[in-house]
């Protein structure tokens, strides 16, 4: 057992240190290591685990690491794999957060972020563009996404919007299975989410203690489906609008740091936690956002065969995914004001978007390029 735990730790520490490119790239690297090179699981088993991660909230690539650790060495392997994959990125992010707090007021850092923010926004737009055809692949799902878009723009509570969208999609799928008329009837469940608009209004800045910091991140980790970039929408709603702990510029900086580092994008929580509560805040926020992933994998692993064949789980996931994408689109539009402040920053964003959409340039290189352009722009002024 110790030998297996050692090889699990070695593999996922290495992946957590070197795996750039987002969840899809992480999953591809894991498949290469555990299917092709080490033969821990077959391709069929790997796809089973990947399907299971899509049916539970949380960061998909981290949950894949946790599942693979469980398959290889049981419950101890589950913990070792997850912690090993998260730890390197969290430590790198912690160092960058310290540097940001200490040197962030320097003009050079301001110009660096000036170039990075529009590049990051382009990465988010590209993610939305690539995910949209799969999430809204039917007219009904497209209508559901449009309804969520309107409700989110009006200030609807994002957690209730997600739940209502999942329930609406289950109702729609049930009608289709009974050969009833699929249509707008199931979308009637959505307006209930808009009733909470007043609850999502900005609150006065709350004091940030360890317990206060843990629960928002735990809540986000417990309900967040879809791409890691959907995290942007939840952090905006929870930390910027409700609690007033961050402003939009700081949120973009946090997302930029999460994108520049290897491993899971959810280590953005490490950066935010450090801003709000120092090293202890970083530990609390990171623990809060990743803890649900361990719990959900532990609970779902024995139920994996049933989850894969359940039309109810599949329908709920379809509704939540398209709603997540709509929330992400609304927040992206709101963040344009913080990222695109003049013509040069708009040009940086447009060039980054073209390079992503037409040439498939790595988002890591785009972020680094944006930083370089920002520094050059600062030196010319």
């Amino acid at each position: 057992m110790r030998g297996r735990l050692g090889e699990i730790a070695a593999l996922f520490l290495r992946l957590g240190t070197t795996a750039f490119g987002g969840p899809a790239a992480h999953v591809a690297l894991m498949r290469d290591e555990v299917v092709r090179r080490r033969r821990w699981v077959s391709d069929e088993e790997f796809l089973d685990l990947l399907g299971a991660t899509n049916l539970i909230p949380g960061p998909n690539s981290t949950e894949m690491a946790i599942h693979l650790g469980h398959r290889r060495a049981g419950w101890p392997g589950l913990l070792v794999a997850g912690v090993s994959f998260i730890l390197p990125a969290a430590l790198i992010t912690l160092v960058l957060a310290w540097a940001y707090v200490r040197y962030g007021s320097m003009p050079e850092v301001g110009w660096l972020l000036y170039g990075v923010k529009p590049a990051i926004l382009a990465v988010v737009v590209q993610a939305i563009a690539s995910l949209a055809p799969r999430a809204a692949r039917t007219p009904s799902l497209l209508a559901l996404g449009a309804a969520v878009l309107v409700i989110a723009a009006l200030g609807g509570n994002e957690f209730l919007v997600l739940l209502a969208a999942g329930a609406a999609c289950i109702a729609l799928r049930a009608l289709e299975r009974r050969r009833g008329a699929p249509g707008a009837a199931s979308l009637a469940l959505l307006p209930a989410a808009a009733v909470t608009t007043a609850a999502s209004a900005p609150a006065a800045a709350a004091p940030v203690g360890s317990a206060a910091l843990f629960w928002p991140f735990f809540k986000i980790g417990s309900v967040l489906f879809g791409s890691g970039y959907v995290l942007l929408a939840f952090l905006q709603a929870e930390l910027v609008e409700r609690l007033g702990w961050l402003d939009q510029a700081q949120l973009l900086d946090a997302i930029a740091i999460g994108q520049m580092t290897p491993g899971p994008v959810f280590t953005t929580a490490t950066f935010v936690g450090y801003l709000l509560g120092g090293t202890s805040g970083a530990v609390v926020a990171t623990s809060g956002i990743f803890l649900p992933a361990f719990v959900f994998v532990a609970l779902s692993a024995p139920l994996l065969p049933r989850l894969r064949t359940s039309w109810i789980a599949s329908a709920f996931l379809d509704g939540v995914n398209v709603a997540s994408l709509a929330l992400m689109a609304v927040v992206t539009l709101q963040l344009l004001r913080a990222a695109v402040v003049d013509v040069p920053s708009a040009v940086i964003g447009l060039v980054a978007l073209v390079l992503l959409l037409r040439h498939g340039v790595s988002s890591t290189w785009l972020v680094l390029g944006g930083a370089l352009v920002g520094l050059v722009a600062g030196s010319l002024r």
Side-chain angles (χ1 to χ4, degrees):
M1 176 63 76
R2 285 187 179 180
R4 289 195 172 191
L5 291 177
E7 63 180 350
I8 289 170
L11 172 61
F12 287 105
L13 281 170
R14 177 164 60 82
L15 289 177
T17 305
T18 61
F20 289 89
H26 301 166
V27 169
L29 288 169
M30 289 179 195
R31 180 194 170 278
D32 183 64
E33 291 286 349
V34 304
V35 177
R36 191 174 72 84
R37 295 177 183 273
R38 302 165 189 264
R39 302 186 185 279
W40 288 358
V41 296
S42 67
D43 254 330
E44 291 75 15
E45 290 172 312
F46 188 86
L47 288 173
D48 283 349
L49 296 178
L50 185 60
T53 65
N54 286 324
L55 290 172
I56 57 177
N60 286 359
S61 58
T62 304
E63 288 168 345
M64 274 300 291
I66 297 171
H67 265 303
L68 290 166
H70 180 256
R71 277 295 178 94
R72 185 63 176 164
W75 300 112
L78 178 150
L79 291 172
V80 169
V83 171
S84 297
F85 187 62
I86 295 164
L87 187 60
L91 291 175
I92 294 169
T93 304
L94 182 61
V95 172
L96 292 174
W98 169 83
Y100 176 88
V101 170
R102 178 158 186 156
Y103 302 111
S105 60
M106 295 173 61
E108 293 82 1
V109 175
W111 283 110
L112 182 148
L113 295 172
Y114 167 87
V116 165
K117 289 175 184 177
I120 280 295
L121 214 58
V123 172
V124 176
V125 170
Q126 187 267 346
I128 294 172
S130 63
L131 292 170
R134 284 177 283 173
R137 62 185 180 276
T138 67
S140 297
L141 287 171
L142 183 61
L144 181 63
V148 171
L149 198 69
V150 172
I151 291 171
L154 293 173
N157 182 285
E158 75 284 351
F159 295 105
L160 293 182
V161 165
L162 284 180
L163 293 175
C169 204
I170 290 173
L172 176 61
R173 194 70 51 84
L175 287 173
E176 291 172 346
R177 287 168 65 88
R178 295 177 184 175
R179 297 184 180 181
S186 63
L187 300 184
L189 294 170
L190 277 174
V195 173
T196 60
T197 300
S200 62
V208 186
S210 293
L213 193 57
F214 178 83
W215 286 111
F217 286 98
F218 181 80
K219 182 168 63 170
I220 290 170
S222 298
V223 301
L224 196 153
F225 282 88
S227 163
Y229 296 112
V230 181
L231 179 65
L232 186 66
F234 283 80
L235 292 177
Q236 162 82 10
E238 193 72 17
L239 303 183
V240 177
E241 295 176 1
R242 286 206 187 91
L243 298 172
W245 288 349
L246 299 178
D247 58 36
Q248 289 187 335
Q250 289 173 316
L251 176 60
L252 273 173
D253 295 343
I255 294 294
I257 294 297
Q259 182 63 32
M260 291 170 66
T261 53
V265 177
F266 273 39
T267 51
T268 298
T270 308
F271 183 89
V272 175
Y274 187 86
L275 293 188
L276 298 175
T279 302
S280 62
V283 172
V284 167
T286 305
S287 301
I289 203 164
F290 281 107
L291 179 59
F294 288 89
V295 174
F296 285 129
V297 170
L299 293 175
S300 66
L303 303 174
L304 200 158
R306 294 182 183 179
L307 285 174
R308 289 188 70 249
T309 57
S310 168
W311 70 266
I312 295 176
S314 177
F316 182 81
L317 181 66
D318 284 344
V320 167
N321 280 345
V322 76
S324 296
L325 207 61
L327 290 171
M328 192 171 158
V330 170
V331 172
T332 301
L333 290 173
Q334 293 172 349
L335 291 174
L336 271 172
R337 292 174 303 200
V340 179
V341 295
D342 53 22
V343 173
S345 60
V347 171
I348 293 172
L350 287 173
V351 169
L353 188 60
V354 169
L355 290 173
L356 277 168
L357 295 177
R358 294 182 63 89
H359 303 289
V361 175
S362 167
S363 58
T364 302
W365 290 113
L366 287 176
V367 170
L368 294 175
L372 180 61
V373 171
L375 290 173
V376 171
S379 68
L380 296 176
R381 292 194 183 183

